[in-house]
């Protein structure tokens, strides 16, 4: 049997490697999250906090980390088009030997209205939208307006774990993103 | 088959679990023990210079050693530590002879399991059990001997409250010494309490200072030779030990001095003049 040309083998070989690599999955991670801030309980000393830096930095998509000991928060910035999953961030904090509490995100995306689920936040085309919950009246009106006009927004929200890997966002601020 | 594997795993677990004395993690007491463990998958290297001197009753003992500790975080609450003691100079002087030796001492392996933890903002309360084994790797033919010749075990319990400003530690340890060549060193009980303060509440990536004072109690039973108590052995000691820690990110330098404030030793024995330790620790 005659083998296909070498270029074809290379092409499909590289395609296979790419498909099996993380890169394809990274695209499906929360692509438009700019930063995640976690309140961490139990952090008393800088030397102990190194474990958090080490574990968070090992997550794919993290470009920068800022630990504020007196505030008890850890903020990580995400690379363009990739950011670790919420559950992975919580696991990293636990593996460092501490307790993750409140998680906040700053994200870019659009707000959509679903008749059954209500307001949803859509990060991008590939990720499933996340429900928006516990909105104050003014914020809800603003969000509805942005949804109606299909405006790209910056959202600052608390991340709420509903069940297992099911999450919701409780918005604290919604602003239009300047183009 | 599965049962055999289980027993093997259990054996390895307990072998790893059992270790020796006061190998410490940064921000733990230098001479006592705390419940600190390293993060999961984390590795710590500590190099410690320690020295002690005892004198009296026409006897002088002096030791200078460099101990290397390798710490590994098996889980977020379980850490294994290997202690490799390197004795630079061990001196024993009596009225009739002077002895001096150097080389590797007894290798120790320790497992620390933090079985309880309560986290609050800027505060962590925790408790851990410590189990250790010391193997007779030190040369017993050297004079003075570099190793005890026996396999000894350590069982301990440590508790701590660590806040941004204050540190409180307490621990209790029992060292079970076994017999080798008809000689058995007396079992030893340690009880320690420590309080520490961070005078400046620095942020991450800033040099961080902590000052601590420890109280270290030691009780040793009499040694046994051919099944008989050795009269000039055993007793009680209490030390007050000021210590410091300075850390920056994943680097730590720490040191302390043990000053004896009470010694009641059986028979004629040299009393401890001082002990000190200075260590550098690196986590990665």
């Amino acid at each position: 049997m005659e083998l296909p040309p070498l270029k074809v083998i290379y092409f499909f070989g590289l395609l296979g490697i790419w498909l099996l690599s993380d890169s394809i999955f990274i695209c499906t991670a929360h692509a438009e999250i700019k930063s995640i801030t976690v309140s961490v309980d139990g952090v008393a000393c800088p030397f102990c906090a190194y474990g958090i830096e080490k574990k968070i930095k090992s997550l794919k998509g993290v470009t920068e980390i800022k630990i504020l000991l007196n505030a008890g928060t850890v903020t990580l910035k995400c690379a363009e088009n990739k950011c670790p999953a919420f559950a992975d961030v919580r696991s990293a904090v636990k593996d460092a030997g501490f307790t993750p509490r409140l998680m906040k995100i700053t994200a870019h995306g659009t707000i959509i209205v679903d008749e059954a689920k209500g307001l949803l936040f859509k990060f991008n085309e590939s990720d499933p939208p996340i429900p928006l919950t516990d909105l104050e009246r003014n914020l809800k009106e603003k969000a509805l307006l942005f949804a109606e006009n299909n405006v790209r927004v910056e959202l600052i929200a608390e991340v709420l774990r509903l069940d297992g890997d099911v999450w919701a966002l409780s918005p604290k601020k919604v602003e239009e993103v300047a183009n | 088959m599965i049962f055999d594997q289980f027993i093997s795993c259990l054996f390895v677990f307990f072998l790893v679990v059992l270790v020796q004395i006061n190998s410490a993690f940064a921000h733990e007491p230098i001479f006592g023990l705390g419940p600190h463990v390293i993060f999961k998958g984390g590795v710590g290297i500590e190099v410690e210079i320690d020295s002690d001197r005892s004198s009296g009753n026409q006897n002088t003992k002096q030791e200078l050693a460099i101990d290397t500790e390798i710490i590994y975080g098996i889980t977020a609450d379980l850490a294994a530590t290997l202690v490799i003691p390197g004795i630079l100079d061990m001196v024993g002087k009596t009225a009739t002879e002077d002895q001096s030796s150097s080389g590797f001492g007894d290798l120790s392996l320790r497992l620390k399991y933090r079985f309880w933890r309560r986290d609050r903002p800027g505060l962590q309360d925790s408790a851990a059990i410590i189990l250790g084994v010391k193997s007779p790797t030190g040369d017993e033919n050297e004079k003075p001997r570099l190793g005890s010749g026996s396999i000894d075990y350590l069982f301990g319990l440590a508790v701590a409250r660590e806040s941004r400003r204050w540190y409180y530690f307490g621990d209790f340890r029992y060292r079970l010494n076994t017999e080798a060549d008809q000689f058995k060193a007396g079992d030893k009980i340690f009880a320690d309490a420590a309080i520490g303060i961070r005078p400046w509440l620095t942020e991450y990536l800033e040099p961080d200072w902590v000052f601590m004072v420890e109280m270290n109690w030691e009780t040793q039973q009499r040694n046994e030779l051919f099944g008989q108590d050795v009269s000039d052995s055993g007793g009680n000691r209490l030390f007050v030990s000021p210590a410091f820690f300075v850390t920056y990110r994943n680097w730590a330098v720490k040191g302390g001095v043990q000053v004896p404030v009470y010694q009641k030793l059986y028979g004629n024995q040299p009393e401890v003049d001082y002990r000190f330790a200075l260590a550098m620790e690196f986590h990665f």
Side-chain angles (χ1 to χ4, degrees):
Chain A
M1 194 181 81
E2 199 176 320
L3 286 170
L6 211 55
K7 281 181 184 172
V8 176
I9 295 173
Y10 277 144
F11 174 78
F12 282 102
L14 289 171
L15 183 68
I17 290 166
W18 180 74
L19 285 172
L20 290 171
S21 73
D22 286 343
S23 57
I24 193 166
F25 301 110
I26 289 165
C27 296
T28 64
H30 305 301
E32 291 300 324
I33 295 177
K34 302 296 177 190
S35 67
I36 300 175
T37 299
V38 197
S39 296
V40 181
D41 281 3
V43 189
C45 75
F47 190 72
C48 324
Y50 174 72
I52 299 175
E53 182 194 321
K54 177 89 179 174
K55 300 309 285 186
I56 295 279
K57 275 190 170 171
S58 70
L59 299 173
K60 281 178 180 162
V62 177
T63 57
E64 202 181 313
I65 179 169
K66 189 170 187 181
I67 298 171
L68 295 175
L69 292 170
N70 291 324
T73 60
V74 176
T75 300
L76 60 99
K77 288 196 174 166
C78 302
E80 188 107 353
N81 295 326
K82 47 182 170 176
C83 200
F86 300 141
D88 292 344
V89 174
R90 293 183 70 85
S91 293
V93 172
K94 285 180 185 171
D95 286 347
F98 302 100
T99 305
R101 298 285 184 206
L102 184 72
M103 194 186 280
K104 276 186 182 177
I105 60 161
T106 301
H108 286 184
T110 51
I111 295 169
I112 54 174
V113 182
D114 184 281
E115 280 186 15
K117 296 176 184 170
L119 287 172
L120 304 171
F121 188 75
K122 194 176 174 186
F123 294 97
N124 52 40
E125 293 306 320
S126 51
D127 286 330
I130 296 184
L132 297 179
T133 183
D134 297 339
L135 281 95
E136 283 178 13
R137 195 177 152 191
N138 291 347
L139 211 56
K140 190 170 185 177
E141 283 171 5
K142 207 171 172 182
L144 281 166
L145 196 67
F146 286 141
E148 202 174 296
N149 295 310
N150 196 29
V151 170
R152 191 166 166 75
V153 298
E154 180 174 275
L155 175 81
I156 296 173
E158 284 178 15
V159 180
L160 309 172
R161 188 177 216 157
L162 299 181
D163 182 32
D165 205 23
V166 182
W167 305 86
L169 299 173
S170 172
K172 300 298 162 199
K173 195 178 173 187
V174 187
E175 294 294 340
E176 186 176 350
V177 176
N179 288 321
Chain B
M1 180 69 179
I2 291 171
F3 181 74
D4 286 350
Q5 282 177 344
F6 174 71
I7 294 295
S8 302
C9 289
L10 212 61
F11 177 76
V12 170
F13 175 79
F14 279 107
L15 193 70
V16 170
V17 154
L18 302 170
V19 182
Q20 201 227 359
I21 48 174
N22 50 341
S23 60
F25 293 73
H27 289 147
E28 288 205 330
I30 293 271
F31 302 101
L33 261 182
H36 263 205
V37 286
I38 196 168
F39 56 91
K40 184 182 176 185
V43 177
I45 304 281
E46 183 183 311
V47 179
E48 180 180 298
I49 298 170
D50 50 68
S51 175
D52 65 73
R53 188 177 190 277
S54 306
S55 63
N57 292 311
Q58 297 184 321
N59 248 313
T60 302
K61 290 178 182 174
Q62 202 163 340
E63 186 182 327
L64 180 67
I66 286 194
D67 298 341
T68 306
E69 294 182 13
I70 302 162
I71 309 150
Y72 179 70
I74 299 164
T75 70
D77 293 309
L78 180 67
T81 305
L82 177 71
V83 186
I84 308 159
I87 295 155
L88 298 176
D89 191 22
M90 188 184 280
V91 176
K93 288 181 185 173
T94 61
T96 52
E97 62 176 339
D98 289 1
Q99 296 175 334
S100 177
S101 61
S102 62
F104 283 108
D106 287 341
L107 214 69
S108 296
L109 209 55
R110 184 185 73 195
L111 206 78
K112 193 192 281 188
Y113 177 60
R114 185 169 56 184
F115 63 89
W116 178 75
R117 199 182 89 218
R118 185 175 62 178
D119 291 341
R120 282 184 279 167
L123 179 78
Q124 189 169 70
D125 295 326
S126 57
I129 51 164
I130 299 112
L131 296 162
V133 66
K134 183 174 71 63
S135 59
T137 53
D139 195 339
E140 299 153 50
N141 298 320
E142 287 278 349
K143 287 183 180 177
R145 293 162 61 141
L146 298 172
S148 67
S150 58
I151 298 174
D152 303 327
Y153 304 94
L154 183 94
F155 308 92
L157 175 72
V159 293
R161 162 164 284 198
E162 299 165 65
S163 70
R164 291 285 291 130
R165 180 74 73 183
W166 294 97
Y167 284 79
Y168 307 94
F169 290 96
D171 77 88
F172 178 84
R173 290 169 284 154
Y174 187 89
R175 194 164 78 201
L176 178 72
N177 295 323
T178 63
E179 192 182 305
D181 300 328
Q182 307 293 326
F183 177 81
K184 181 187 175 298
D187 291 352
K188 214 166 178 179
I189 295 168
F190 303 85
D192 308 287
I195 184 168
I197 186 169
R198 172 178 287 111
W200 306 284
L201 299 184
T202 50
E203 280 292 352
Y204 191 55
L205 301 183
E206 286 178 349
D208 180 57
W209 287 85
V210 172
F211 298 96
M212 200 171 276
V213 178
E214 297 179 37
M215 299 279 279
N216 314 111
W217 176 266
E218 294 177 10
T219 293
Q220 185 160 22
Q221 294 172 351
R222 279 196 167 92
N223 300 337
E224 288 174 24
L225 188 63
F226 299 109
Q228 300 293 314
D229 282 353
V230 176
S231 56
D232 295 339
S233 65
N236 303 307
R237 292 187 179 105
L238 178 68
F239 299 89
V240 172
S241 318
F244 77 94
F245 307 83
V246 57
T247 63
Y248 178 77
R249 196 168 169 246
N250 53 337
W251 287 90
V253 175
K254 52 195 176 177
V257 182
Q258 271 193 314
V259 182
V261 291
Y262 171 79
Q263 297 190 73
K264 187 168 176 59
L265 307 176
Y266 308 137
N268 295 320
Q269 293 183 68
E271 292 193 333
V272 172
D273 299 323
Y274 66 83
R275 292 173 183 163
F276 85 80
L278 183 67
M280 180 178 272
E281 189 174 337
F282 173 63
H283 286 183
F284 59 95

